[in-house]
Amino acid sequence: MSAVARAGTVRPAVGIGTVRMAGNIISLDRARQDRAATLSHAVSVDEFAIKVACARDPMFWVRVKRPLGGDVHVTDFQRGAQSRAALADGLIAALQAAGIALPRRLRFSDIAPMGASDPRFHGRLAEAIEDVRIAADAVARRHGAALRGLDTRPRGGKVDAEALFAAH
């Protein structure tokens, strides 16, 4: 079943389907609210994952792997040309579509997918860590919690990140 968001209202999706959200997506960070732009998210849900894409930016991509529980595995997390606030909003949209309020932890795989041998890797890694930190903090604040910690770990030639949340 699908649902459509109009004029800022959202009817939640039930089961497997697609949710299209169009309208003003406002950053959770009050300082960014004045300059928030209109962003169109397409949220799709299937038996494997919840995916969030941006029609205007094919490089914007958030994918949360199923099955879900206290730990949420984010397998794709790329903002493309969109803002960090838009990426955080995409993650929140995926968690909402999955029916998850505040997970115990968010695990992010391969946050800088170009690989360590690429000369741009270290700069991209620093940007990706900040993307993850801002998004995890937005998730925590949305639920009245705090980001307790953010760790990064090498895995082969890749880097994963893990965000932990403090209880309410």
Side-chain angles (χ1 to χ4, degrees):
M1 184 181 284
S2 67
V4 177
R6 289 187 186 97
T9 61
V10 176
R11 291 179 304 188
V14 177
I16 298 172
T18 300
V19 178
R20 289 216 173 268
M21 297 169 56
N24 286 335
I25 304 298
I26 305 299
S27 167
L28 297 175
D29 184 348
R30 180 59 88 190
R32 291 190 198 106
Q33 286 185 356
D34 294 336
R35 59 185 190 273
T38 300
L39 178 70
S40 177
H41 282 135
V43 180
S44 61
V45 180
D46 63 28
E47 63 272 19
F48 302 107
I50 296 99
K51 300 168 211 140
V52 180
C54 176
R56 294 187 326 217
D57 188 348
M59 299 306 289
F60 179 97
W61 189 248
V62 176
R63 182 177 184 273
V64 175
K65 185 177 174 182
R66 289 181 173 256
L68 303 166
D71 293 351
V72 172
H73 186 187
V74 181
T75 60
D76 296 277
F77 196 66
Q78 301 298 317
R79 67 181 160 103
Q82 303 306 309
S83 69
R84 287 185 167 122
L87 185 59
D89 291 339
L91 177 59
I92 289 168
L95 294 174
Q96 285 177 329
I100 293 175
L102 181 66
R104 184 174 48 230
R105 83 183 71 208
L106 286 170
R107 293 183 303 125
F108 296 81
S109 294
D110 193 14
I111 62 172
M114 63 182 47
S117 62
D118 189 296
R120 299 168 296 171
F121 176 75
H122 294 290
R124 178 62 191 117
L125 179 60
E127 286 181 24
I129 290 168
E130 187 65 5
D131 289 349
V132 167
R133 187 195 63 73
I134 287 172
D137 185 58
V139 168
R141 285 184 293 115
R142 180 175 182 87
H143 299 288
L147 180 61
R148 188 175 74 195
L150 178 64
D151 296 319
T152 57
R153 294 185 182 93
R155 179 178 48 89
K158 303 175 185 224
V159 176
D160 296 339
E162 183 174 275
L164 300 170
F165 299 99
H168 306 249

